[in-house]
Amino acid sequence: MKVKTKSRKVNKAWLNDHVNDPYVKLAQKEGYRARAAYKLKEIDELLGLVRPGMTVVDLGAAPGAWSQYLRRRLAPQGAAAGALDGRIVALDMLPMAPIEGVTFIEGDFREDAVLARLAQALGGAPADLVVSDMAPNLSGIESSDAARIAHLVELALDFACAHLKPRGALVVKLFHGSGYSQLARLFKDRFQTVKPIKPKASRGRSAETFLAGIGLKADAPKT
């Protein structure tokens, strides 16, 4: 009974924080599916990553807030529907409600067949930007979770090196803790510019952070 009571208290506290979160309220007002849109918005405004005419890949896209933001940034006057100047290909192992102008692939990014479908959706054209909000289901066992997180980041990095334009950029979510410095080093080995970013929209108590790599080094490995 004590465990259940504690759980109810934790859930109630989380729900109260969520309901009163200014980014949750703003997302509801502006029609975004999740507050996560404002994390990408802040990163984009800081680094100037998204421009009309781009081809963008959104990894770990569901429920679609990042794709919504990208779609508005690539549209005349920031429209949520209608004309789109660019291409967005989104992928997630969870289903995602359609977003006008966004090509969605449902599948596990860790599977070669799904990666092949993603490459096919690009039609052989290189991407200008790859963004990844992917995260594994965490077990609470630090060493195991760090390995899962690192694997997803490394997959995103390998995909970016194989499919980005030379001046393209990659943004990934990762977590401070075991393995962070090694992943940051991988980025520095492959990109000319690397920026760690903790957006204001990312909850302060969360260990999540983001790394942006811009401009592939000439000798970056193509895996």
Side-chain angles (χ1 to χ4, degrees), residues 80-94:
L84 182 66
D85 184 5
R87 176 192 292 184
I88 303 167
V89 180
L91 180 146
D92 203 294
M93 60 192 300
L94 298 174

Side-chain angles (χ1 to χ4, degrees), residues 43-220:
I43 295 168
D44 178 31
E45 290 176 346
L46 180 65
L47 301 177
L49 296 176
V50 188
R51 297 180 298 278
M54 280 186 157
T55 293
V56 185
V57 177
D58 181 8
L59 303 174
W66 278 25
S67 285
Q68 284 180 301
Y69 174 77
L70 293 166
R71 195 255 179 272
R72 296 184 192 190
R73 286 286 285 123
L74 296 180
Q77 289 79 48
L84 182 66
D85 184 5
R87 176 192 292 184
I88 303 167
V89 180
L91 180 146
D92 203 294
M93 60 192 300
L94 298 174
M96 185 177 89
I99 298 171
E100 185 175 333
V102 176
T103 299
F104 177 66
I105 298 170
E106 185 175 342
D108 191 333
F109 187 67
R110 295 167 294 186
E111 297 178 2
D112 291 341
V114 174
L115 284 173
R117 288 170 59 198
L118 181 55
Q120 185 178 26
L122 291 173
D128 297 278
L129 175 64
V130 176
V131 296
S132 172
D133 199 26
M134 292 190 296
N137 292 324
L138 300 179
S139 66
I141 302 172
E142 184 177 354
S143 58
S144 177
D145 290 341
R148 294 175 185 174
I149 292 164
H151 182 54
L152 289 178
V153 171
E154 288 165 1
L155 284 176
L157 190 54
D158 288 346
F159 176 84
C161 286
H163 295 281
L164 274 179
K165 293 180 179 178
R167 295 184 180 180
L170 168 66
V171 176
V172 300
K173 177 167 72 177
L174 66 169
F175 296 86
H176 271 295
S178 177
Y180 175 84
S181 60
Q182 291 92 330
L183 293 173
R185 171 51 56 190
L186 285 178
F187 263 66
K188 291 176 182 177
D189 287 343
R190 301 193 185 192
F191 289 97
Q192 297 172 25
T193 302
V194 177
K195 297 284 188 181
I197 302 169
K198 174 75 171 179
K200 294 177 183 177
S202 182
R203 291 186 170 99
R205 62 180 177 273
S206 171
E208 77 169 9
T209 189
F210 295 84
L211 272 181
I214 304 170
L216 288 170
K217 289 184 176 179
D219 59 349

